[in-house]
Amino acid sequence: MAVTLEQARRVGYTCLKALLRFAFMVANNLVAIPSYVLYLIVLQPLRILDSKSFWYIEGVLFKWLLAMVASWGWWAGYTVVEWGDDVKAVSEDEAMVLVNHQATGDVCTLMMCLQDKGTVVRQMMWLMDHIFKYTNFGIVSLIHGDFFIRQGRTHRDQQLVLLKDHLEKYYRSRNRKWIVLFPEGGFLRKRRETSQAFAKKNNLPFLKHVTLPRLGATQVILKTLVAPQENGTPSGGDTVRKESKSKGLQWVIDTTIAYPKAEPIDIQTWILGYRQPTVTHVHYRIFPVKDVPAEPEALTNWLYQRFIEKEDLLTHFYETGAFPPPQGQTKAISREMTLSNLWLVAIQSFAFLSGGMWYCFFQYLYHCLF
């Protein structure tokens, strides 16, 4: 079939736009990430004198970095509509966020939709696959105190011990509030067949839009971060908790991400912007942690039930284009999530100005030394 002039122009424009966006992303990373690292190196004396203030500043810089990533999608027309419970109501409390995982764009979507949730982004901790340690953002996550987990049965027990130690060492000492994890342990397309085989073998529901979650990390987080009075189980880091006067983990936020036509956005699309503007839908359901069982078998059943509910939510969404209304209500209400373009431009400008400042500083230092 012959390509028309209009089609050729459209393809050419898309390629040019993708090339320019990629160049901007590279430049953005080259100035923003080194600046983040250098600012924190300079502030090391403050870390010794006033650790709380140091981690406050680090959190602000971290939030701005995530806002830059969010801006790449926002300016490409990749927006978010939110459904279900309003998580702003618990943004100052400690919460564990359970998210279904379909593609690399899930993380970018969360970076975007959590930007307007108060202090959440600067005080959050991420659990992510260890491979992300070796990406351009890896150094930022390492400094911030995120946890990189290795997948696979051979690493499982050791990783859970390391996770517990990591939480006790960094979670409250750095004043973290929300911890985000993907309990499925991988992308839907990679785990679906294995999960369905396991479900069939163990007489569990057949799931198409999600996979059965894994218990390990969720159980460690609950045991380590939930205050004893919440569920009657001992929890780690008691000394740190007393010092920070923390109430412990108070909420579990079950988060379901849905893409139109079940076509997830990956990180390449987010960066290059070659896909047409897309609205991603995010559904929240908040559970008090006191209602979450502590015993492994009961917790496993509880966690399975959450993902069975996710399956129902996603089935309804793909059939109707909307999430179902909450129980007892006749209509589901959505909320359009918005970002300020002026704020995003200000953050990007700060990043490039910072990059220029550090460049001039090192040029001056070079000339002084040589």
Side-chain angles (χ1 to χ4, degrees), residues 325-339:
Q327 190 173 6
Q329 299 183 22
T330 57
K331 185 179 180 181
I333 299 175
S334 62
R335 304 175 297 277
E336 186 175 350
M337 182 265 159
T338 59
L339 290 176

Side-chain angles (χ1 to χ4, degrees), residues 127-334:
L127 264 65
M128 61 188 78
D129 192 279
H130 79 286
I131 196 67
F132 288 102
K133 185 189 297 185
Y134 308 104
T135 66
N136 60 315
F137 214 77
I139 183 65
V140 174
S141 292
L142 280 170
I143 294 172
H144 184 70
D146 296 329
F147 184 77
F148 299 94
I149 191 165
R150 295 181 68 91
Q151 302 293 343
R153 188 172 300 175
T154 56
H155 303 289
R156 190 171 301 161
D157 292 340
Q158 181 194 29
Q159 290 299 297
L160 295 180
V161 172
L162 292 174
L163 173 58
K164 182 178 186 296
D165 293 342
H166 186 89
L167 293 173
E168 292 179 343
K169 186 175 182 180
Y170 297 118
Y171 190 79
R172 294 202 172 91
S173 67
R174 299 185 181 184
N175 195 29
R176 300 295 174 241
K177 292 291 184 69
W178 282 26
I179 183 165
V180 181
L181 68 153
F182 301 90
E184 290 165 295
F187 297 139
L188 173 64
R189 67 179 185 276
K190 293 183 177 181
R191 291 212 60 245
R192 178 159 42 198
E193 185 176 342
T194 303
S195 175
Q196 290 173 346
F198 177 84
K200 183 178 181 180
K201 182 179 179 180
N202 292 275
N203 197 28
L204 294 168
F206 180 89
L207 304 178
K208 179 181 177 182
H209 304 303
V210 295
T211 66
L212 290 169
R214 295 172 175 175
L215 177 66
T218 303
Q219 187 177 31
V220 169
I221 292 168
L222 291 172
K223 281 188 174 182
T224 308
L225 300 182
V226 173
Q229 65 270 21
E230 293 291 350
N231 65 357
T233 62
S235 57
D238 287 338
T239 302
V240 175
R241 180 178 298 112
K242 289 175 183 176
E243 290 176 357
S244 64
K245 297 180 181 179
S246 170
K247 296 179 181 178
L249 200 70
Q250 295 173 268
W251 310 100
V252 175
I253 303 174
D254 187 31
T255 304
T256 304
I257 299 176
Y259 299 94
K261 300 179 182 179
E263 297 175 354
I265 298 176
D266 55 29
I267 187 65
Q268 298 94 323
T269 306
W270 193 271
I271 292 170
L272 299 177
Y274 50 77
R275 183 167 165 177
Q276 290 297 310
T278 302
V279 179
T280 302
H281 297 256
V282 181
H283 183 279
Y284 305 105
R285 190 176 177 196
I286 302 174
F287 295 88
V289 78
K290 63 182 177 63
D291 294 340
V292 180
E295 295 302 317
E297 184 176 350
L299 178 59
T300 299
N301 292 334
W302 185 89
L303 199 57
Y304 281 176
Q305 189 58 42
R306 301 288 73 77
F307 276 76
I308 292 169
E309 290 174 1
K310 285 180 183 291
E311 177 77 11
D312 294 338
L313 286 171
L314 290 168
T315 299
H316 190 280
F317 177 84
Y318 295 140
E319 291 175 353
T320 66
F323 283 111
Q327 190 173 6
Q329 299 183 22
T330 57
K331 185 179 180 181
I333 299 175
S334 62

Side-chain angles (χ1 to χ4, degrees), residues 78-98:
Y78 304 147
T79 57
V80 172
V81 167
E82 299 178 309
W83 303 75
D85 296 332
D86 186 357
V87 296
K88 287 182 180 179
V90 299
S91 62
E92 297 301 317
D93 299 332
E94 290 188 26
M96 176 173 62
V97 185
L98 308 175

Side-chain angles (χ1 to χ4, degrees), residues 97-130:
V97 185
L98 308 175
V99 192
N100 62 312
H101 209 8
Q102 300 174 68
T104 48
D106 298 340
V107 175
C108 300
T109 296
L110 291 173
M111 288 180 178
M112 175 187 286
C113 65
L114 296 179
Q115 283 290 326
D116 68 343
K117 307 298 187 295
T119 62
V120 163
V121 174
R122 68 177 177 84
Q123 293 182 293
M124 74 195 312
M125 178 182 286
W126 296 78
L127 264 65
M128 61 188 78
D129 192 279
H130 79 286

